Structures are given as C-alpha cells and as structure tokens.
Amino acid sequence: TEKGIKIIDSIAKAAPRFWNFVGLVAIPTAMAFMAVGVVMMLYISGTIVSGEQKGPAMALILPSLSSQQQTGFGGFVFFLPLWFWLILVTVLLVPHEVFHGILSITVKVPLKSVGLMMLFIFPGAFVEPDEKKLKKAKRR
C-alpha cells in the first residue's frame, strides 16, 4: 500500500495540471462512449427483434479453463482462456484505479490505501481516498 501510494503520488505531482485536464476531458468522453454504447445496443436489439439479425449479437465474456476461445449457452457467453481473461481484466482495472488515485491527489485528497486483490479467480484493484477530505473537496 505505501509503495503504491508513493508511486501514484509521484505520478500525480509530476504534472498535476495535465492530470486535471485529462480528468476533465475524460468526463464528456465517458458520457459520449456511454451514449454510443446505448445507441448501439438499441440498434442491435432492433435488428434482433426485426429478424434481420439471426442468433445472439452480444455476449457475456467469461474465463474458461480451456486453452481455446469458445462460445456457449447458444452464443450468449463467450469464453476466453483463463490466462488471457486475467491479463485482459488486469490491464483494464489497474490503470482505471490508478487514475482515480492520481485525480484524488491532484485535488488534494490524500489516499489512505491502494491495493490489488483476488476473489477466487476474479482480480480486483482499489484506491481509498480520505473520506473526510473528499467530502470537503469541490464537486469537480
């Protein structure tokens, strides 16, 4: 935890204005991606209802002990090899949480702890900002 906090702190303090700018740009970008995702899901749902699309058009991605990619449950589940799935989730999760930590520090809210975890086969990461200072911070 201490080492992780020091690393995140040094990254945040190296260029706080840059990270604040990235954080501000990330908000409308995330909103736009969410809107595009909703529109795409509605479009795909429409093609399924109209009969234009045969079979599943979206699938849940889960890990598998097999070394090959597979589909299951009528194509509604896409199984990736466990090692690849773990790498994929970790590559998405760790930078996401580190970015939360960086932005927390740039708005002068210190981190109490950071960490990685495993729940069975599911990896996780977290940053824990100081709640008292977080409540006093500006909404932005």
Side-chain angles (χ1 to χ4, degrees):
T1 295
E2 289 177 24
K3 197 176 224 179
I5 291 173
K6 285 180 185 177
I7 291 169
I8 292 171
D9 194 56
S10 67
I11 293 169
K13 289 181 178 173
R17 292 182 69 194
F18 168 76
W19 290 117
N20 275 324
F21 174 76
V22 171
L24 287 174
V25 170
I27 295 168
T29 303
M31 300 294 259
F33 277 116
M34 285 190 293
V36 168
V38 168
V39 169
M40 288 175 65
M41 288 194 318
L42 290 172
Y43 172 76
I44 290 169
S45 297
T47 62
I48 292 169
V49 170
S50 71
E52 193 178 323
Q53 171 74 35
K54 303 290 185 213
M58 296 178 264
L60 179 63
I61 300 173
L62 293 176
S64 167
L65 295 177
S66 171
S67 62
Q68 300 295 317
Q69 298 174 5
Q70 302 171 343
T71 57
F73 302 100
F76 288 103
V77 180
F78 187 73
F79 293 101
L80 290 175
L82 178 63
W83 65 270
F84 186 76
W85 186 87
L86 287 171
I87 291 170
L88 187 67
V89 170
T90 303
V91 164
L92 292 170
L93 212 91
V94 171
H96 175 90
E97 290 303 325
V98 167
F99 192 62
H100 281 296
I102 290 170
L103 289 180
S104 179
I105 290 169
T106 61
V107 295
K108 310 234 181 328
V109 176
L111 300 177
K112 289 169 65 177
S113 65
V114 301
L116 300 171
M117 61 186 173
M118 286 291 283
L119 178 63
F120 304 110
I121 61 164
F122 302 104
F126 67 91
V127 294
E128 181 185 9
D130 184 324
E131 292 291 329
K132 290 177 184 173
K133 292 197 178 182
L134 184 61
K135 287 180 183 177
K136 293 177 184 177
K138 292 179 184 176
R139 180 140 173 91
R140 190 192 102 204

